[in-house]
């Protein structure tokens, strides 16, 4: 029988809600600048909780190293890509107004995408780092 | 500078001292990292207090229409926090690897091992 | 009214800090820090009301999450000196 | 109606504040880790609960209340869980609870 | 195994409900993002293997509300009791350890029971193994309140095992 | 159109390439990306330098937001000069890297090295290009964090403790810096360097600003490894993979000096500076570094460590040049930024070759290498002579201007000290040359072959640079002089 | 060949020779042929340069601009031409001698030896023909570096130690003092071009001139002014042809050459004679002359005695220049040449003795004149020249200096010259006497003369010492021209 039933059950119960909350924070920009950052932290911390309870080995099956690395790099790429897109469309770097015909809409879109990039990066970074601390990220 | 601002500044100073002391005085690497964290937290507090008291005596840009809606300090704090988190994470992961290779995270013992090499 | 509530929260935070410093066991300290964290959640919620910023509640929620996970992590670290092992199953001989 | 709601909410908030402080005093006064947990529990359940419900009444039927509810729910799941986990860790690490009938018994044992 | 699919659907619905509750906005973009988010979360949850009866005890929802009401009242009563002890200058405590047998069959039931005990001031579950709980009680009275078994019965009733 | 975007592209190219490297699992490909990004950055830097020298400074507004809120990127002759140094050295070192890296870094971490290198490059370029003191902090930390990781990739476990030590010191420094920045912001409401330069004089006498200056200078001094804030550097350079030591020695300290120049002159107003005797402090610290570090270098047994201490001494020269607060002094510092990058780049790359073949850079293990690895060691001789300051090398040019600056001020004693300290350089360089050429080789040395051509080419690019720019210093001196003029001009 | 081309070729030819020697390293005969060919070519170039100069050509070439306002530049003037003539002619002789010596003693690393020898000559030409102080300084440092591998040729711990002293003293003085003096000069005068009459304006603060003079005199370590002379005896560990290079062909000559050049073209003889603080130089030079002679007297090791003799003789040049009258300046120039041929003969002789008899100490030389008559005869002639007795060129140069001293009523110089001449005789003549008139030790192993290239070389230089007394010709002409410039 499992000995840490309490932790396990409560974690299972909360986990989907935590992850959804992270995505909610991600997509509701009214949290102000850094919505993506906070979302990333929440998602990452949720995953850390999972790792604490179920062990790194299980967690690694959920998020394999290669996938993590891809998400990490991809996040940065989204962030920089949006900036470069603005640049290619004739504005300066990080000028989102040019992303759409309507400058306001362009700004919104740009910020959403940037935040998405930040969020993914932060989440992936937190998870990778925790794996490192948890101590099974070393080459044998 | 208004009273709460002063308090914040003193708190920031005190935290800085504590953090700095921990960085210097502790032989335990984890404690050093924690000290570093406290040290950085002091800066956040300092920036927060700065954001609040800016209406006071500080000479600011000529057109003070944007004084209070200025989001800048918050962005700065957030950025600084991100950087701080990254530093802490990296520091701790180094500690983990140091423990793996040296078998200890006490500064003195590590030095002794290195001296014996 | 909110001020009174904030004062109460602050007092209990302070008392928790006293316990955190006094210890004497590491579990006392974790308990106190965890309590301090919960009070911080309340403080943030009250501050949200005080400053009319309801979005602070999101932060409070996030803080509650971090507080919980942090407590579990610290406790686990002190108990096993390791974060990576599963919290259950065979590889935990000492439970 | 507004007045009733306000008074009620203030009472709740004040009550919450009272339990917060009382629990915190308990954390200081009680003699060992296991007994202190009970006091800490008061602040988490009664203190936080009353306070948040009081705030809820202030918020009315809004998003604020929804989030306050979420906070309460979250705390009511996690608070006992961490308490339990902590207690179990303390016990298994060899920390022995003080047991006895009266305070004198306890102090003589320490 | 009606479980897997059922739990997936129910989890999705609950999550979407939570999204709407949190969001408070009903623009197409956010609604769409909500769908995407739910899909993502359900997928991750599947990978984490948390989608099952333990993770989504939805069947309990209706029976849970009255139980929560009862529990809240219990908490309030014992809070007052314990607070009086704490504030009493003589600090009249009589801490004790006791073993309690849980009558529920599922682990979910044990966990709910254990956490209910902990939530109630004056008692803390400090161990749980094979349906037997170790409880630390602050006083003789709080211990006695537990041994009368009412909480155990109510939990068992809620998880539908009687 | 794209030309107008060069200032941001300078940073974005490596910054974008870094995550790509992190995603790609193929070692060869990540190297190609890193090399390509470095070369592209070099091309951009050269274009910028050309533009700046002909059309004057370039200003670029990030996101098209006006200066107080948005971030301004600003390229003037000094910045462009630094951009060229950093990207050129990065390119040459990347050219050198593959074999050396394969030898010194575990296979599954090579992608990480390339990603971190690119991040570091982006951070350094960003520090140079930005005109915003807080943005500078961000880039500073990007470069620092990636440095910690790169250092920790070293083979010896001491690389870990070295990286940790650097992390602690570097973070303290960065935090000091950011405190200073906050104070300046509090007093002026701006983070833009040029705006700060115009607004600080009004509040210069306040204690807050004086404290800010102290914080900022100490913070950058830590990053710069300015004696006495240097404790992290020798270990970091000694235990990092050689390529990393080469890159950091050639570029990172240069950028830190650049930042110091920017702060002292553009922000604090240079000669008009009030409040703190920054110049006198720098003078003393520079001289102490020149002698102390050189003296310690003489007693090292590990060649990398020896070069690390030598770097501390050379940083002393740069700091000394700043302390004169004159055009000639600044010219000396700026020209030495470039020259020292060439010398130390070449010398560390030579050690990379040595490590590849010998498996160690202990001086005692280098006996007889002059015969076994003639091209490699000849490059070391060139770099070493340059370090001493022998004529026809860039080291001589640096020394010339530094002494001239000292004599201009009438500080002949300082001039004498400069010369004496370069005699110390002679001693420690000669120790290695003597062992390599005149000490009988051990048996194991007889098996050693010359380093591969692909490594010798970058080594000799740098060695040849030491000679070429030593014989024909007109262009570099010209660039340095106009950069110095800009600094003094903006200082009012 | 235009004079301008010749000017550049004088440096390029030995440098290219070094490259070719390196390429021919595997074939000793070819390698040595190249060495000789290069030496002869260089000599021809220098001769053509001298002739065109005497014809009135004044070549001046700017190679490249190194620092803004400062270029690497070559100019022909009498003193430099004289020095170039001495060095290039002696290189031929020294090369022939080297071939015999290196083969006779089966030395290792011969290719390296010839390469750096050629490079040293290229540097020497740069020193001789440098048109400004910067060029001279650059080549001066290159000479130090290119002779270092020659000094440490054997690679023994002793050789390495000597090499450290050599490098240490020469680089330390040149970087620590000479460079400082040069940059200071640039700071004060705004130019470093060698100009007849000097470059300092009268307005320059006089004590500063004194300081600068000190920086130059002690910065030019190759002139071996006491107490900076130690590197020279230390460098005796090198093979004998290297000693010849150091003492006669290039290195110490470069030192005193630079002293004279700086006094004539940077300070200006006239200008300097108005500076009161100046006389310390005569005192230091005079002291060095006497002290080094006394030390030489007490050496039993032949090469060491020769080395201290060089220290003493170098200060003759410095002292002559410090007398500050045209006649003595001309004497200084001529003494550079005179000492060169005389001292090279002596070193060649010492090397021959070592090669043929493996003897290094003076006390071992009893009766050796019978076994090595050519060598010891040449030694005798070289000794006469160094002492300053007719019929050798050494007499001519000393005579000029003495005349200058009388003209300036420089009693110190007169006294020093007389005393040192006696000392010179005291440390050289007994050797000659012992070689020819003392009986050989009973247990001596029989031996003959050294290999023929060595004998050829030392005979040639000994002959030159005598011939130049009767036909001083071009050297005297150049020396007098310099005296005119100094006027
Ligand atoms: Na409880
Ligand atoms: Na309880």
């Amino acid at each position: 029988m499992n000995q840490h039933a309490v932790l396990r059950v409560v974690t299972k119960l909360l986990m989907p809600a935590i992850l959804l909350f992270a995505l909610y924070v991600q997509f509701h920009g009214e949290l102000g600048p850094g919505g993506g950052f906070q979302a990333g932290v929440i998602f990452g911390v949720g995953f850390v909780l999972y790792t604490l309870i179920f062990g790194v080995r299980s967690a690694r099956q959920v998020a394999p190293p290669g996938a993590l690395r891809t998400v990490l790099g991809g996040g940065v790429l989204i962030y920089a890509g949006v900036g470069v897109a603005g640049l290619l469309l004739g504005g300066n770097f990080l000028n989102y107004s040019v992303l759409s015909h309507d400058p306001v809409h362009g700004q919104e879109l740009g910020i959403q995408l940037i935040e998405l990039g930040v969020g993914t990066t932060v989440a992936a970074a937190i998870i990778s780092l925790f794996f490192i601390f948890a101590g099974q990220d070393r080459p044998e | 500078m208004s009273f709460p601002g002063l308090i914040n500044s003193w708190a920031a100073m005190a935290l800085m001292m504590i953090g700095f002391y921990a960085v210097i005085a502790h032989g335990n690497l984890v404690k050093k990292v924690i000290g570093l964290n406290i040290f950085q937290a002091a800066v956040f507090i300092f920036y927060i207090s700065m954001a609040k008291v800016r209406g006071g005596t500080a000479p600011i840009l000529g057109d003070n229409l944007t004084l209070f809606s200025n989001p800048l300090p918050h962005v700065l704090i957030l950025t600084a926090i991100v950087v701080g988190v990254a530093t802490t994470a990296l520091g701790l992961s180094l500690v983990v690897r140091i423990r793996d290779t040296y078998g200890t995270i006490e500064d003195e013992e590590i030095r002794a091992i290195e001296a014996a090499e | 009214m909110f001020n009174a509530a904030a004062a109460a929260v602050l007092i209990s935070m302070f008392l928790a800090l006293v316990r955190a410093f006094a210890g004497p066991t590491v579990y006392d300290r974790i308990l106190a820090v965890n309590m301090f964290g919960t009070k911080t959640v309340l403080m943030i919620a009250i501050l949200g009301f005080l400053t009319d910023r309801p979005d602070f509640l999101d932060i409070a929620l996030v803080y509650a999450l971090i507080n919980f996970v942090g407590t579990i992590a610290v406790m686990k670290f002190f108990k096993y000196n390791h974060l990576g092992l599963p919290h259950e199953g065979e590889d935990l001989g000492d439970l | 109606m507004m007045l009733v709601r306000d008074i009620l909410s203030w009472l709740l908030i004040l009550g919450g504040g009272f339990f917060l402080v009382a629990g915190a005093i308990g954390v200081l006064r009680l003699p060992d880790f296991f007994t202190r947990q009970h006091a800490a529990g008061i602040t988490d359940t009664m203190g936080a609960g009353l306070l948040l419900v009081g705030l809820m009444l202030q918020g009315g039927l809004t998003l604020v209340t929804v989030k306050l509810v979420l906070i309460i729910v979250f705390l009511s799941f996690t608070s006992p869980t961490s308490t339990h986990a902590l207690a179990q860790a303390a016990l298994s690490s060899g920390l022995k609870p003080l047991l006895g009938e009266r305070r004198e018994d306890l102090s003589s044992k320490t | 195994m009606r479980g897997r699919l059922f739990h997936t659907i129910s989890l999705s619905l609950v999550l979407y409900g939570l999204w709407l509750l949190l969001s408070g906005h009903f623009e197409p973009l956010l609604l769409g993002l909500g769908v995407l988010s739910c899909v993502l979360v359900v997928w991750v949850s599947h990978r984490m293997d948390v989608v099952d009866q333990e993770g989504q005890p939805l069947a309990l929802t209706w029976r849970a509300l009255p139980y929560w009401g009862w529990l809240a009242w219990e908490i309030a009563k014992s809070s007052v009791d314990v607070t009086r002890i704490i504030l009493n200058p003589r600090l009249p405590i009589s801490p004790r350890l006791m073993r309690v047998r849980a009558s529920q069959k599922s682990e979910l039931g044990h966990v709910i029971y254990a956490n209910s005990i902990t939530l109630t001031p004056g008692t803390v579950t400090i161990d749980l193994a094979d349906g037997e709980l170790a409880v630390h009680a602050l006083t003789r009275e709080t211990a006695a309140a537990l041994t009368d078994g009412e909480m155990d019965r109510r939990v068992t009733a809620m998880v539908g095992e009687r | 159109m794209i030309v107008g975007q060069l200032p941001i592209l300078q940073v974005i190219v490596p910054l974008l390439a870094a995550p790509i490297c992190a995603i790609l699992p193929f070692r060869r490909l990540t190297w190609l990306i890193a090399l390509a990004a470095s070369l592209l950055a070099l091309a951009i830097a050269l274009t910028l330098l050309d533009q700046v020298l002909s059309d004057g400074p370039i200003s670029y507004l990030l996101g098209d937001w006006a200066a107080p809120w948005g971030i301004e990127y600003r390229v003037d002759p000094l910045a462009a000069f630094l951009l060229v140094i950093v990207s050129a050295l990065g390119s040459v070192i990347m050219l050198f890297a593959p074999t050396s890296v394969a030898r010194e870094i575990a296979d599954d971490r090579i992608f990480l090295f390339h990603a971190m290198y690119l991040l570091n490059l982006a951070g350094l370029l960003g520090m140079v290009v930005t005109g915003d003191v807080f943005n500078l902090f961000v880039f500073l930390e990007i470069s620092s964090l990636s440095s910690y990781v790169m250092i920790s990739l070293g083979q010896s476990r001491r690389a870990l403790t070295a990286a940790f030590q650097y992390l602690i010191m570097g973070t303290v420094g960065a935090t000091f810096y950011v405190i200073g920045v906050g104070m300046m912001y509090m007093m002026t409401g701006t983070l833009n360097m040029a705006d700060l330069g115009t607004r600080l004089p009004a509040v210069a006498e306040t204690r807050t600003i004086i404290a800010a200056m102290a914080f900022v200078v100490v913070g950058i001094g830590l990053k710069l490894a300015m004696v006495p804030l240097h404790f992290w550097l020798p270990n970091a350079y000694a235990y990092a993979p050689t390529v990393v030591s080469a890159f950091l020695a050639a570029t990172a300290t240069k950028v830190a000096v650049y930042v110091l120049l920017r702060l002292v002159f553009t922000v604090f107003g240079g000669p008009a500076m009030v409040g703190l005797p920054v110049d006198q402090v720098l003078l003393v610290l520079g001289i102490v570094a020149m002698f102390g570090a050189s003296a310690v270098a003489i007693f090292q047994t590990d060649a990398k460590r020896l070069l690390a201490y030598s770097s501390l001494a050379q940083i002393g020269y740069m700091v000394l040049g700043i302390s004169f607060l004159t055009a000639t002094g600044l010219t000396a510092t700026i020209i030495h930024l470039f020259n020292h990058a060439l010398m130390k780049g070449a010398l560390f790359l030579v050690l990379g070759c040595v490590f590849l073949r010998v498996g160690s850079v202990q001086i005692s293990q280098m006996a007889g290498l002059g015969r076994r690895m003639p091209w490699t060691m000849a490059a070391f001789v060139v770099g070493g002579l340059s370090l001493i300051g022998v004529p026809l090398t860039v080291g001589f040019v640096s020394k010339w201007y530094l002494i001239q600056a000292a004599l201009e001020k009438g500080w002949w004693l300082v001039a004498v000290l400069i010369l004496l300290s370069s005699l110390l350089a002679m001693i420690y360089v000669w120790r290695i040359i003597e062992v390599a050429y005149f000490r009988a080789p051990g048996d194991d040395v007889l098996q050693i072959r010359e380093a591969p051509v692909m490594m010798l080419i970058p080594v000799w690019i740098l060695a040849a640079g030491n000679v070429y720019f030593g014989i024909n210093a007109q262009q570099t001196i010209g660039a340095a002089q106009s950069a110095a003029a800009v600094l003094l001009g903006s200082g009012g | 060949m235009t004079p301008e081309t010749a000017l550049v070729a004088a440096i390029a030819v030995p440098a290219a020779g070094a490259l070719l020697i390196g390429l021919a390293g595997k074939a000793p005969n070819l390698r040595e042929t190249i060495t000789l060919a290069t030496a002869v070519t260089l000599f021809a170039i220098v001769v053509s340069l001298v002739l065109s100069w005497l014809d009135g050509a004044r070549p001046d070439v700017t190679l490249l601009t190194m620092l803004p306002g400062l270029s690497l530049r070559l100019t022909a003037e009498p003193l430099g031409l004289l020095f170039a003539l001495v060095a290039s002619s002696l290189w031929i002789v020294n090369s022939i001698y080297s071939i015999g010596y290196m083969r006779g003693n089966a030395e290792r690393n011969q290719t390296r030896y010839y390469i750096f020898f050629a490079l040293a000559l290229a540097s020497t030409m740069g020193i001789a023909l440098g048109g400004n102080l910067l060029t001279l300084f650059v080549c001066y440092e290159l000479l130090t570096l290119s002779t270092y591998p020659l000094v440490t040729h054997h690679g023994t711990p002793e050789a390495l130690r000597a090499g450290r002293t050599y490098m240490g003293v020469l680089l330390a003085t040149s970087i620590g003092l000479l460079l400082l003096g040069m940059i200071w000069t640039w700071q004060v005068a705004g130019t470093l071009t060698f100009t007849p009459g000097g470059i300092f304006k009268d307005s320059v603060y006089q004590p500063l001139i004194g300081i600068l003079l000190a920086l130059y005199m002690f910065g030019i370590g190759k002139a071996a002014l006491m107490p900076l002379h130690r590197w020279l005896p230390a460098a005796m560990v090198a093979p004998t042809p290297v000693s010849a290079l150091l003492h006669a062909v290039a290195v110490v000559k470069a030192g005193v050459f630079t002293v004279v050049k700086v006094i004539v073209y940077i300070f200006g003889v006239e200008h300097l004679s108005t500076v009161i603080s100046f006389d310390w130089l005569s005192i230091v030079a005079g002291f060095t002359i006497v002290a080094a002679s006394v030390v030489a007297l007490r050496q039993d090791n032949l090469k060491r005695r020769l080395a201290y003799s060089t220290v003493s003789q170098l200060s003759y040049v410095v002292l002559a220049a410090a007398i500050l009258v045209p006649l003595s300046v001309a004497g200084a120039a001529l003494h550079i040449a005179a000492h060169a041929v005389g001292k090279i003969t002596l070193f060649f002789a010492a090397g021959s003795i070592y090669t043929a008899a493996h003897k290094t100490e003076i006390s071992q030389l009893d009766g050796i004149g019978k076994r090595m008559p050519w060598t010891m005869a040449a030694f005798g002639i070289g000794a006469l020249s160094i002492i300053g007795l007719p019929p050798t060129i050494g007499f001519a140069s000393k005579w000029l200096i003495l005349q200058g001293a009388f003209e300036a009523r420089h009693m110190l110089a007169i006294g020093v010259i007389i005393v040192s001449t006696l000392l010179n005789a005291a440390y050289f003549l007994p050797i000659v006497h012992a070689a020819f008139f003392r009986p050989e030790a009973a247990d001596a192993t029989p031996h003959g003369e050294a290999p023929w290239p060595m004998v050829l070389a030392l005979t040639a230089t000994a002959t030159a010492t005598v011939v130049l007394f009767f036909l001083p010709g071009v050297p005297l002409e150049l020396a007098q021209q310099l005296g005119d410039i100094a006027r």
Side-chain angles (χ1 to χ4, degrees), chain F residues 140-410:
Chain F
L140 173 76
E141 283 294 53
I142 288 179
S143 89
S144 298
L145 287 167
S146 47
S147 304
Y148 310 148
V149 177
M150 287 203 289
I151 291 166
S152 76
L153 291 175
Q155 279 187 322
S156 151
R157 63 178 173 178
R158 288 194 182 200
L160 296 175
T161 45
F164 185 81
Q165 196 186 13
Y166 183 17
L167 180 137
I168 297 285
M169 299 298 277
T171 308
V172 169
T175 310
F176 267 53
Y177 174 81
V178 93
I179 292 170
V181 165
M183 290 173 160
M184 290 194 283
Y185 182 69
M186 190 161 79
M187 296 306 281
T188 61
T190 180
L191 294 169
N192 184 287
M193 289 180 187
D195 290 347
L196 277 171
T198 57
R199 284 178 201 170
L200 276 181
V203 290
E205 307 274 1
T206 59
R207 266 196 302 187
T208 313
I209 288 303
I210 292 172
M213 275 159 80
F215 273 120
V216 163
V217 169
V218 170
I220 294 302
L222 266 163
K223 175 76 183 168
L224 176 58
M226 185 163 73
V227 171
L229 308 171
H230 63 279
F231 293 104
W232 58 270
L233 186 137
N235 279 333
Y237 282 15
Y239 298 115
T242 315
V243 175
V244 175
S245 311
F247 183 69
L248 294 182
T251 61
T253 46
K254 309 298 163 296
V255 172
V257 171
Y258 165 85
V259 172
L260 191 61
L261 282 171
R262 270 274 171 260
L263 291 170
V264 169
F265 288 91
T266 308
V267 175
F268 297 145
M273 200 162 38
V274 284
L276 282 184
V278 172
D279 52 341
Q280 290 161 39
V281 172
L282 292 181
L283 175 75
V284 172
L285 293 183
I287 291 174
V288 169
M290 277 156 38
F291 279 93
S294 301
V296 176
I298 290 172
F299 296 101
Q300 297 307 310
T301 54
D302 177 297
K304 257 161 117 180
R305 252 182 119 71
L306 184 150
L307 290 188
Y309 277 104
S310 149
S311 279
L312 293 178
Q314 302 290 321
I315 291 166
Y317 288 124
M318 301 176 206
V319 170
L320 183 64
I322 298 176
S323 76
F324 293 140
L325 300 177
T326 61
T328 316
L330 286 182
T331 305
T333 296
I334 296 167
I335 196 70
H336 198 48
L337 289 178
F338 177 73
N339 293 345
H340 184 245
L342 284 178
M343 318 172 188
K344 275 292 152 57
L347 290 174
F348 271 111
L349 290 192
V350 163
L351 292 190
C353 295
V354 170
F355 194 93
L356 179 78
R357 291 304 192 216
V358 182
S360 155
V361 288
Q362 287 293 312
I363 295 175
S364 55
Q365 305 256 308
M366 293 167 75
L369 275 192
R371 184 62 61 85
R372 309 304 311 173
M373 304 177 74
W375 289 99
T376 306
M377 290 319 290
F380 187 91
V381 172
V382 172
L385 292 180
S386 193
L387 202 55
I388 299 172
V390 167
L392 300 187
T393 62
V394 289
F396 179 70
V397 177
S398 300
K399 219 140 277 178
W400 181 281
Y401 275 88
L402 204 55
I403 292 170
Q404 202 183 318
L407 291 176
E408 240 175 48
K409 283 220 131 186

Side-chain angles (χ1 to χ4, degrees), chain D residues 37 41 45 83, chain E residues 118-121 123-124:
Chain D
Q37 279 202 315
T45 51
T83 303
Chain E
T118 312
L119 268 176
T120 317
T123 49
V124 172

Side-chain angles (χ1 to χ4, degrees), chain G residues 60-343:
Chain G
D60 182 4
V61 179
T62 298
L63 294 176
L64 53 87
T65 307
M66 189 166 143
L67 303 170
L70 269 179
S71 17
L72 292 181
R73 179 173 172 190
L74 299 177
T75 317
E77 51 77 47
L79 181 62
L81 287 174
L82 180 59
F83 180 35
L85 201 57
V86 170
S88 62
S89 58
L90 291 185
W91 189 25
I92 301 176
V93 192
N94 200 354
S95 298
I96 297 171
Y97 184 85
S98 292
I99 294 165
Y101 184 92
M102 299 305 276
R103 292 190 174 194
N105 287 304
E107 294 278 351
R108 300 177 61 200
N109 296 324
Q110 292 196 24
T111 306
R112 185 177 79 193
Y113 169 85
Y114 288 112
I115 290 175
F116 282 101
F117 215 109
L119 287 178
L121 257 294
S123 313
T124 307
M125 291 301 126
I127 295 174
L129 304 175
N132 58 21
L133 198 49
L134 179 70
T135 315
L136 190 150
F137 179 79
V138 166
C139 296
Y140 182 96
E141 297 294 64
L142 289 180
L143 181 61
T144 308
L145 294 175
S146 56
T147 45
Y148 172 79
L150 300 174
V151 171
T152 55
H153 184 84
H154 290 135
T156 56
E158 192 197 356
L160 288 184
R161 211 174 317 118
R164 270 191 289 247
T165 311
Y166 181 78
M167 279 283 288
V169 173
L170 292 188
L171 278 188
T173 50
S174 66
I175 290 182
L177 304 172
L178 181 54
L179 177 61
L180 179 63
M182 178 164 69
I183 298 177
W184 211 333
T185 305
W186 165 250
Q187 188 71 36
V188 172
T191 178
L192 291 177
T193 308
F194 292 127
T195 313
I199 57 174
F200 292 112
K201 295 173 194 69
D202 291 337
S203 56
V204 175
Y205 185 53
Q206 283 210 351
L208 179 60
I209 299 282
I211 292 172
L212 284 176
L213 186 75
L215 286 177
Y216 281 113
M217 291 308 122
F218 290 107
I220 303 166
K222 285 179 181 144
L225 214 53
M226 276 184 176
L228 300 174
H229 65 287
R230 294 198 154 274
W231 60 273
L232 195 51
M236 283 299 98
V237 296
T240 303
V242 174
S243 302
L245 173 79
L246 297 179
H247 288 257
V249 181
V251 178
V252 297
K253 292 293 155 336
V256 286
F257 166 80
T258 308
V259 168
V260 178
K261 189 128 182 176
V262 164
I263 288 180
V264 174
Y265 291 99
I266 294 292
F267 289 98
V269 173
E270 190 97 356
H271 189 226
L272 211 47
S273 60
T274 62
V275 178
I276 311 135
S277 63
F278 180 58
D279 221 36
W280 63 263
L281 184 56
S282 311
I283 296 170
V284 172
F287 174 79
T288 306
I289 291 171
V290 176
S293 301
V294 171
V295 175
L297 199 53
R298 298 172 51 195
Q299 303 297 321
D300 189 37
N301 182 295
L302 179 56
K303 280 173 76 176
R304 289 187 73 82
R305 184 172 290 188
L306 295 181
Y308 277 102
S309 155
T310 301
V311 173
S312 151
Q313 293 289 319
L314 290 176
S315 281
Y316 266 85
V317 180
V318 178
L319 179 65
I323 293 171
L324 292 179
V325 292
L327 213 50
S328 64
V329 171
L334 194 62
H335 196 69
I336 291 176
H339 178 253
V341 282
K343 192 48 74 57

